[in-house]
Amino acid sequence: AAPRVTPPPAAPRVTPPAKATPTISKAVTNSVPAAETETCQIINPKSECAEKIKWAMSDGIQAQPAWYPGLTRWSSIEEFQGVLHKGPQKLCPPPCPCHTAVKGEPCHDKVMWAMKDGIYAHPDWYPGVDKFARFEAFQQSLHLQHKTSKMCPAPCQAREWTSPSLFCFSVVRTGSYEPDLMKAQLAKSAGIFACDEFMVLSDSVLNLGPGPGPGGTVQTVPIGSLQVGISKDGTAANTEVFMRAWTAVHEDFRYRAHEWIIKADPDSVVLPDRLRSKLAPHTGPPLYVKNCAKNQGPGWPMMFGSLEALSRAAVEAYFTGAERCKNELGWQSWGEDVFMGTCLDHLGVGNFFDVSISGDNVCTGANCADGWHGNYHPFKNPGAWFACWGQATR
């Protein structure tokens, strides 16, 4: 993991003057207005200003939110730069105007088309950009090439990710305990919301709370009914539901910029930093992780569904061969984890076994204080979830 940037011992409190409050919405806008008088600057990543912004975004906003009026941990680099510039010590130069497109805006549609189709059909239209590039890189390419038509504004700078980067997603059922549990995690930037990027899927559109997204909120992506039957081993026969979930991940495209894709149950206490340290040595090849050896014999160890870790290459192999698995495997009575593991094996994807990836009471036990596992399951209400999380992060 990248080292945490620690401020100088006597880091001054940054408070904007009363009559010079930065023009930033209380919602997460990822937008910065034009500087009024001074020349704006895109900061050098190695500058003192960049160091202070990193600390503000990782530690400062959590410890002293009043120092950053109108901002949250989801605010853009430029929004933090603006607050530091407006402070009495002017720790940063003024930020340049920017806006990262969000769903519902014409630019967002153009960027999504470029990521889905354009980069494959016309790669020469996007110099310096490949299919694994981030959303902001595609938007910047469109901005530079179509300045006269103003197709897209300049995007805000992409947030720094930790290596290996994680794209995490969960599926939640309305009318269950799961939405409230996910809202509690989001409010604390915990669980999958501590991954580099995340996605929540459901049977309807739900607003989970403030975060990156349209209007500064995190919204669920609808994938249809989540009703399931009973599998051959007595668990949910939910393979079809998760086929649709993985299709939604594929259509979102953000996963392609990440090295590992994590599917986690809502009641899983996910610890991304621990997961990164366990996954880092295996990054690159098409691999998935078997994390439970509860039984012996054919099919064991297996990938338990409370936390599924797949490398980007493994996910790409699944998307390429999903129809083969659907047509060639007798999956109808399986749980989705059995299907996914069997499908990946069927497609020739490799795997490795690591029991420390997940401590699961449905497998061999979850001791939240063991200081070892990258996930603990199941904890089905916010009190139990955060009690486990507190033990694990103490």
Side-chain angles (χ1 to χ4, degrees), residues 35 59 129 190-191 275 287 300-301 304 379:
D59 294 350
V129 178
L275 288 178
L287 293 170
W300 296 92
F304 246 38
F379 297 90

Side-chain angles (χ1 to χ4, degrees), residues 26-87:
K26 288 187 179 298
V28 181
T29 60
N30 282 325
S31 303
V32 169
E36 295 179 0
T37 54
E38 301 177 63
T39 302
C40 72
Q41 292 184 33
I42 298 175
I43 60 170
N44 184 321
K46 296 183 179 180
S47 68
E48 183 179 358
C49 170
E51 296 269 319
K52 293 188 179 299
I53 290 174
K54 286 180 183 178
W55 182 83
M57 296 177 76
S58 63
D59 294 350
I61 192 65
Q62 303 288 351
Q64 299 290 345
W67 294 5
Y68 312 96
L71 303 190
T72 73
R73 77 168 290 249
W74 313 111
S75 298
S76 69
I77 292 172
E78 286 82 355
E79 287 172 313
F80 277 93
Q81 182 182 345
V83 168
L84 294 177
H85 168 69
K86 291 288 187 178

Side-chain angles (χ1 to χ4, degrees), residues 91-362:
L91 298 173
C92 286
C96 293
C98 67
H99 174 70
T100 302
V102 296
K103 190 175 181 179
E105 297 176 349
C107 174
H108 186 273
D109 294 340
K110 299 289 186 183
V111 174
M112 293 302 288
W113 182 86
M115 295 177 74
K116 179 182 178 182
D117 298 319
I119 192 65
Y120 295 98
H122 305 283
D124 54 307
W125 289 5
Y126 313 96
V129 178
D130 63 24
K131 69 176 183 177
F132 300 121
R134 295 172 65 166
F135 184 98
E136 292 87 350
F138 277 94
Q139 182 175 332
Q140 178 70 359
S141 180
L142 293 176
H143 167 69
L144 293 175
Q145 295 183 61
H146 301 278
K147 280 189 173 181
T148 55
S149 65
K150 297 183 178 180
M151 177 184 290
C152 279
C156 296
Q157 295 178 68
R159 297 172 68 94
E160 185 177 345
W161 290 343
T162 307
S163 180
S165 61
L166 306 180
F167 180 85
C168 301
F169 75 95
S170 293
V171 178
V172 303
R173 295 166 296 156
T174 57
S176 73
Y177 68 89
E178 294 173 344
D180 286 342
L181 185 56
M182 296 302 287
K183 289 177 182 178
Q185 295 171 40
L186 174 61
K188 296 290 187 180
S189 304
I192 69 165
F193 303 108
C195 296
D196 298 288
E197 287 192 290
F198 52 81
M199 185 179 189
V200 184
L201 311 167
S202 186
D203 45 4
S204 63
V205 178
L206 302 172
N207 287 328
L208 297 180
T217 61
V218 174
Q219 293 183 332
T220 60
V221 176
I223 59 171
S225 173
L226 303 184
Q227 294 297 317
V228 299
I230 303 298
S231 72
K232 63 180 182 179
D233 58 3
T235 59
N238 53 0
T239 296
E240 188 173 1
V241 167
F242 279 87
M243 285 179 178
R244 286 187 269 116
W246 280 103
T247 297
V249 170
H250 183 245
E251 293 175 349
D252 183 81
F253 306 117
R254 288 179 297 158
Y255 79 91
R256 290 195 312 215
H258 294 275
E259 292 159 303
W260 287 88
I261 291 77
I262 307 295
K263 173 262 169 184
D265 285 352
D267 54 354
S268 286
V269 181
V270 181
L271 303 172
D273 285 344
R274 285 193 196 169
L275 288 178
R276 289 188 183 99
S277 66
K278 298 173 188 301
L279 296 173
H282 308 282
T283 299
L287 293 170
Y288 74 96
V289 186
K290 293 186 174 184
N291 55 18
C292 180
K294 182 179 181 179
N295 298 312
Q296 296 182 346
W300 296 92
M302 67 170 289
M303 177 171 64
F304 246 38
S306 58
L307 187 121
E308 300 172 12
L310 290 74
S311 70
R312 178 173 60 197
V315 171
E316 292 285 3
Y318 168 73
F319 289 141
T320 299
E323 284 302 309
R324 275 188 58 198
C325 292
K326 190 173 182 178
N327 295 330
E328 297 173 9
L329 300 175
W331 53 267
Q332 287 77 5
S333 64
W334 296 351
E336 59 86 18
D337 49 3
V338 174
F339 167 76
M340 181 57 78
T342 305
C343 175
L344 294 173
D345 291 343
H346 190 64
L347 299 174
V349 173
N351 64 75
F352 65 96
F353 175 61
D354 186 349
V355 69
S356 75
I357 287 288
S358 183
D360 195 329
N361 273 329
V362 185

